[in-house]
């Protein structure tokens, strides 16, 4: 579990969070089955289940205490599990994730769980459906508007390849007779956008596979590369925008783009 991404460690569906959902569902089924039994036993079982859920949530919340008490971070809840019910309406990446952020969300979610259980016991299924649907719609809408949208349009994604995309549309000759396409960026994700843009080529992110003797290579990066990274290959590069650099070792394409006003520099200079 990454110390800067605690919510992922607890709730990411590929981790043990897979088992929490079925367990919670099992608790609900037990309560429903017990609805026709002695009222005292039903209250006892309900209280025990609620206590179990709260203990789990307290354990999870406690793991955030040290991080949030030492300093405030913006990435503890990277997958925004807590965000929709935290009362914090900031857009990514400015979401302030302090201890109040997690406590508020925990209390609100706990109340929602209790309300669902109580309404289920009262056999008010329509109200349960309305509450669950509303909570899910709010969580999804909040994530799209406040997290997914600003992140997807940020320098981490679309803006990391937008200049090359424009170039590929305006100067189609750049993509002719390409042998290999490399993409170098420390941020995970933008390489998939490049792959989507160039479906006929395999976009390679492992720079150790770069063969300096191979011709007609397209190499994209988010920063200027050192000569060692290019392994002595005869590349020329142009800076397309502040976070996009295009490297070519095809002199014909370099000359073509120079005529269009692009300023190339010898990568080994």
């Amino acid at each position: 579990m990454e110390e800067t991404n605690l919510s992922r460690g607890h709730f990411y569906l590929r981790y043990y969070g897979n088992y929490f959902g079925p367990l919670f569902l099992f608790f609900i089924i037990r309560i429903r089955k017990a609805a026709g039994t002695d009222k005292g036993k039903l209250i006892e079982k309900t209280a025990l289940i609620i206590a179990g859920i709260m203990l789990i949530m307290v354990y999870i919340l406690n793991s955030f205490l040290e991080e949030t008490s030492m300093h405030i971070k913006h990435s503890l809840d990277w997958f925004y599990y807590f965000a929709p019910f935290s009362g914090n309406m900031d857009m990514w990446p400015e979401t302030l994730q302090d201890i109040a952020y997690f406590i508020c969300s925990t209390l609100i979610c706990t109340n929602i769980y209790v309300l669902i259980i109580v309404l289920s016991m009262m056999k008010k299924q329509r109200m349960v459906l309305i509450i669950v649907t509303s909570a899910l719609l709010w969580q999804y809408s909040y994530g799209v508007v406040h997290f997914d949208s600003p992140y997807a349009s940020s320098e981490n994604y679309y803006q990391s390849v937008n200049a090359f995309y424009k170039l590929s549309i305006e100067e189609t000759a750049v993509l002719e007779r390409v042998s290999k396409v490399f993409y170098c960026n420390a941020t995970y994700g933008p390489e998939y956008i490049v792959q989507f843009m160039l479906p006929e080529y395999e976009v390679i992110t492992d720079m150790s596979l770069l063969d300096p003797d191979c011709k007609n290579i397209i190499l994209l990066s988010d920063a200027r590369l050192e000569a060692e990274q290019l392994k002595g290959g005869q590349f020329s590069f142009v800076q397309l925008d502040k976070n996009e650099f295009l490297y070519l070792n095809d002199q014909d394409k370099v000359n073509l783009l120079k005529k269009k006003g692009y300023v190339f520099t010898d990568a080994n200079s």
Side-chain angles (χ1 to χ4, degrees), residues 149-166:
S149 179
Y151 186 68
S153 61
S154 71
E155 293 181 6
N156 293 288
Y157 276 84
Y158 173 71
Q159 291 183 20
S160 65
V161 296
N162 60 323
F164 176 71
Y165 176 74
K166 180 180 178 181

Side-chain angles (χ1 to χ4, degrees), residues 218-238:
I218 287 181
L219 197 163
L220 297 166
S221 70
D222 65 327
R224 181 170 179 176
L225 301 177
E226 299 293 335
E228 294 78 11
Q229 292 175 280
L230 300 173
K231 300 181 179 180
Q234 299 302 308
F235 286 91
S236 296
F237 77 92
V238 58

Side-chain angles (χ1 to χ4, degrees), residues 22 26 29 35-36 59 63 70 90 113 116 128 135 171 186 198 204 235 248 258-259:
F26 172 75
I29 293 173
Y59 160 74
S63 66
M70 291 189 302
D90 290 336
Y113 292 151
I116 290 173
V128 171
E171 307 295 339
L198 306 173
I204 304 170
F235 286 91
L248 298 172
K258 281 183 177 180
K259 292 178 181 179

Side-chain angles (χ1 to χ4, degrees), residues 17-259:
N18 281 306
Y19 303 98
F20 183 78
L23 183 62
F24 181 73
L25 181 61
F26 172 75
F27 288 156
I28 296 296
I29 293 173
R30 289 289 298 173
I31 290 176
R32 290 180 63 90
K33 285 188 174 181
T37 61
D38 181 71
K39 187 175 181 180
K41 291 183 178 180
L42 176 60
I43 294 175
E44 181 181 329
K45 290 181 179 181
T46 302
L48 183 62
I49 291 171
I50 292 176
I53 293 173
M54 292 187 68
L55 284 174
I56 292 173
M57 297 184 74
V58 168
Y59 160 74
I60 293 173
L61 181 63
N62 184 63
S63 66
F64 290 83
L65 289 176
E66 184 177 359
E67 286 292 330
T68 55
S69 62
M70 291 189 302
H71 45 270
I72 296 171
K73 292 187 176 182
H74 300 273
S75 59
L76 292 173
D77 187 25
W78 173 254
F79 283 88
Y80 50 84
Y81 295 105
F82 288 84
F85 303 99
S86 67
N88 191 322
M89 300 299 291
D90 290 336
M91 303 286 279
W92 180 92
E94 301 302 326
T95 304
L96 189 64
Q97 295 172 3
D98 56 7
I99 189 60
Y101 169 96
F102 295 104
I103 290 178
C104 179
S105 181
T106 300
L107 292 175
I108 291 174
C109 290
T110 300
N111 287 329
I112 292 175
Y113 292 151
V114 172
L115 182 59
I116 290 173
I117 292 173
V118 171
L119 290 173
S120 295
M121 292 167 53
M122 297 172 64
K123 298 184 179 181
K124 295 186 176 182
Q125 307 305 327
R126 182 172 296 178
M127 287 300 300
V128 171
L129 181 62
I130 291 174
I131 292 173
V132 171
T133 302
S134 299
L136 290 175
L137 284 174
W138 170 246
Q139 193 279 336
Y140 182 80
S141 301
Y142 184 100
V144 170
V145 173
H146 291 272
F147 283 78
D148 291 341
S149 179
Y151 186 68
S153 61
S154 71
E155 293 181 6
N156 293 288
Y157 276 84
Y158 173 71
Q159 291 183 20
S160 65
V161 296
N162 60 323
F164 176 71
Y165 176 74
K166 180 180 178 181
L167 174 67
S168 67
I169 296 298
E170 295 177 349
E171 307 295 339
T172 56
V174 175
L175 297 178
E176 295 177 357
R177 307 185 315 277
V178 174
S179 58
K180 290 185 179 180
V181 178
F182 285 84
Y183 184 73
C184 182
N185 190 332
T187 301
Y188 174 81
E191 64 270 21
Y192 296 109
I193 300 181
V194 179
Q195 183 65 81
F196 180 78
M197 291 167 50
L198 306 173
E200 65 272 29
Y201 302 107
E202 177 188 2
V203 176
I204 304 170
T205 57
D206 186 353
M207 292 297 290
S208 67
L209 299 177
L210 179 65
D211 182 358
D213 297 324
C214 184
K215 303 299 181 183
N216 300 324
I217 290 177
I218 287 181
L219 197 163
L220 297 166
S221 70
D222 65 327
R224 181 170 179 176
L225 301 177
E226 299 293 335
E228 294 78 11
Q229 292 175 280
L230 300 173
K231 300 181 179 180
Q234 299 302 308
F235 286 91
S236 296
F237 77 92
V238 58
Q239 184 171 355
L240 300 177
D241 62 18
K242 63 180 181 179
N243 65 337
E244 290 183 68
F245 291 76
L246 171 64
Y247 288 78
L248 298 172
N249 64 350
D250 185 330
Q251 194 58 43
D252 291 337
K253 293 179 181 178
V254 171
N255 293 335
L256 174 64
L257 292 178
K258 281 183 177 180
K259 292 178 181 179

